Amino acid sequence: MTSRPVIAVDLGGTKIRAGVVTGGRVTNVHSAPTPARLGASSVLDAVADLVARALTAVAPHDQAPLLLAVGSAGVIDPDSGLVISATDALPGWAGTNLITELQHRTRLSVRVVNDVHAHTLGEASYGASATARDSLLVAVGTGIGAGVICNGRLVTGRHAAAGHLGHMPSSLAAGLPCPCGGAGHLEAIASGPAVLNEYRRAGGRATSSSAAELAEQAREGDATAREAFATAGRALGSALGGVANILSPEVIVLSGGLVQAGDLWWPHLEQAFAEELIPAVRGLSAQRAQLGADAALIGAASLWDGATTEIEESQ
């Protein structure tokens, strides 16, 4: 990774973080809620404000030229900077050109990538998959996204949409509506909101408002809550086993809020994963991400490092 300081931004549907990344070390981090409902222009203004605050930590002799890197929610074309599509969490985000808009607001050189892809690059640079040439990162939270590193390169695909693991079919989600508008997808049974929905479908008392709260109920003896986490783990584990058979990665890294469910979820995932593996890839296991919230900042910054950020387009 470049030793020059890079201002890096992790732009999500609910929160924006910005900080200075130098050689994989993150400092002077600032954050703010994403003003999503106010529209794209307000979100971009909020990013520019956080960038200006982060810049206060960059010494004057380091400021020629300054670099900005952004990992953003949505399907992002890393070459043009265009947001190809986005969910309702960011109304009006689709069609925004992040490079053009942020260069105008910050007067910095800008590179952009999808936020989960940025997270993937971070773990591949300094985290759980740093020693692997071929790896898969899966982020499991409000949604389910993934990033693929093949021969040391991030694969974004022909439409910059590679990694939408949450929208592959899952037999355990048969008939269940998915946030994408489809049905029967993995995200409808294995994401954080899906665990709550499964709990309620099974007759659980609807007092929890998040998967984290439901995990506490499960640990306090709520058998229905425990089964909801087990179902989510089995669904994701089975899907990951199938993907492992296709990609044959050296490492699979799991991140996101649902990983915090720990033994309510992880053993069921591991069992279902192992049961799907073909003989050639048996022995492969999933492991936890190491960099936490800083992974996306570190990964975005690596877009300015030519040795680790070549982006391979599937043909």
Side-chain angles (χ1 to χ4, degrees):
M1 178 174 284
T2 179
S3 60
R4 294 168 56 191
V6 176
I7 307 302
V9 176
D10 179 12
L11 197 172
T14 59
K15 184 179 180 181
I16 307 169
R17 296 178 80 238
V20 181
V21 180
T22 309
R25 188 170 65 94
V26 180
T27 57
N28 202 40
V29 175
H30 300 271
S31 64
T34 305
R37 298 300 162 188
L38 298 179
S41 182
S42 293
V43 173
L44 292 164
D45 289 344
V47 171
D49 177 67
L50 289 174
V51 168
R53 292 163 63 185
L55 276 170
T56 61
V58 180
H61 67 273
D62 288 329
Q63 295 188 16
L66 286 169
L67 306 174
L68 174 61
V70 179
S72 170
V75 177
I76 311 296
D77 183 337
D79 295 322
S80 69
L82 186 69
V83 181
I84 297 172
S85 65
T87 68
D88 291 342
L90 284 168
W93 199 232
T96 303
N97 190 300
L98 297 178
I99 291 177
T100 300
E101 295 289 346
L102 289 173
Q103 283 179 342
H104 172 71
R105 283 170 169 80
T106 67
R107 304 301 179 189
L108 304 180
S109 297
V110 182
R111 290 186 178 178
V112 299
V113 75
N114 165 266
D115 55 351
V116 177
H117 290 167
H119 196 143
T120 302
L121 287 169
E123 290 290 339
S125 297
Y126 286 94
S129 51
T131 61
R133 293 289 291 170
D134 300 281
S135 62
L136 172 70
L137 178 134
V138 179
V140 193
T142 302
I144 300 175
V148 178
I149 300 286
C150 181
N151 197 27
R153 298 181 177 185
L154 175 69
V155 178
T156 60
R158 180 65 181 85
H159 304 288
H164 277 74
L165 186 72
H167 303 291
M168 64 182 293
S170 171
S171 60
L172 291 174
L176 298 179
C178 181
C180 73
H185 294 175
L186 181 64
E187 196 166 295
I189 193 67
S191 66
V195 174
L196 272 174
N197 291 337
E198 178 68 10
Y199 173 71
R200 290 162 180 161
R201 280 192 298 270
R205 64 186 191 279
T207 58
S208 295
S209 60
S210 69
E213 289 181 9
L214 189 63
E216 290 304 311
Q217 285 185 218
R219 293 189 177 99
E220 290 168 2
D222 188 325
T224 304
R226 294 184 70 88
E227 183 55 29
F229 280 101
T231 298
R234 287 193 292 269
L236 182 59
S238 179
L240 289 180
V243 172
N245 292 337
I246 296 169
L247 297 179
S248 188
E250 296 171 60
V251 179
I252 293 179
V253 179
L254 295 179
S255 70
L258 211 54
V259 176
Q260 306 309 313
D263 60 359
L264 296 171
W265 177 80
W266 197 277
H268 305 283
L269 180 147
E270 288 186 314
Q271 181 178 349
F273 175 73
E275 289 172 354
E276 292 292 342
L277 296 179
I278 61 174
V281 294
R282 283 178 189 160
L284 177 66
S285 61
Q287 57 186 275
R288 290 171 174 80
Q290 296 178 355
L291 301 180
D294 287 343
L297 297 178
I298 293 169
S302 78
L303 294 172
W304 287 103
D305 176 17
T308 62
T309 60
E310 298 173 81
I311 295 178
E312 184 165 286
E313 182 180 277
S314 301
Q315 300 295 328

